[in-house]
Amino acid sequence: GKRHMHKLVMRFLTSIEGKYFALTVDDIKADEEGVPTITEIEVNALMDLVIAKNIFASANGSLTGKKDAKVVTTDTNEIEVA
């Protein structure tokens, strides 16, 4: 069978110019059609929370802002092997 996997990839600015911190969240919720249901408002709120709580250790210092975010969808097709 075919499976859709959705993950949220968020990139943050750090205290070092031009260096970013990426945070990936797997298994984003989707509707019956398999379309991710997360909203821009939710993503922004999540990113703001991550920055405010400062809980992730970045090699490039603290997270200072939001760079970008995207939902990545992967299709997996299982192949029968004998």
Side-chain angles (χ1 to χ4, degrees), residues 8-10 12 28 38-50 66 68-71:
L8 174 64
V9 181
M10 299 166 284
F12 297 86
I28 299 300
I38 196 162
T39 66
E40 281 184 29
I41 292 169
E42 289 170 330
V43 172
N44 275 283
L46 179 57
M47 293 182 80
D48 288 340
L49 185 65
V50 168
K66 297 175 282 197
D68 53 34
K70 60 190 172 187
V71 172

Side-chain angles (χ1 to χ4, degrees), residues 2 8-10 14-16 18 24-25 28-29 34-35 43-44 46 50-51 54-55 59 62 64 68 70 72 77 79:
K2 183 180 240 188
L8 174 64
V9 181
M10 299 166 284
T14 68
S15 27
I16 297 178
T24 301
V25 180
I28 299 300
K29 285 192 296 189
V35 178
V43 172
N44 275 283
L46 179 57
V50 168
I51 293 165
N54 198 21
I55 52 176
S62 54
T64 57
D68 53 34
K70 60 190 172 187
V72 178
N77 293 295
I79 298 172

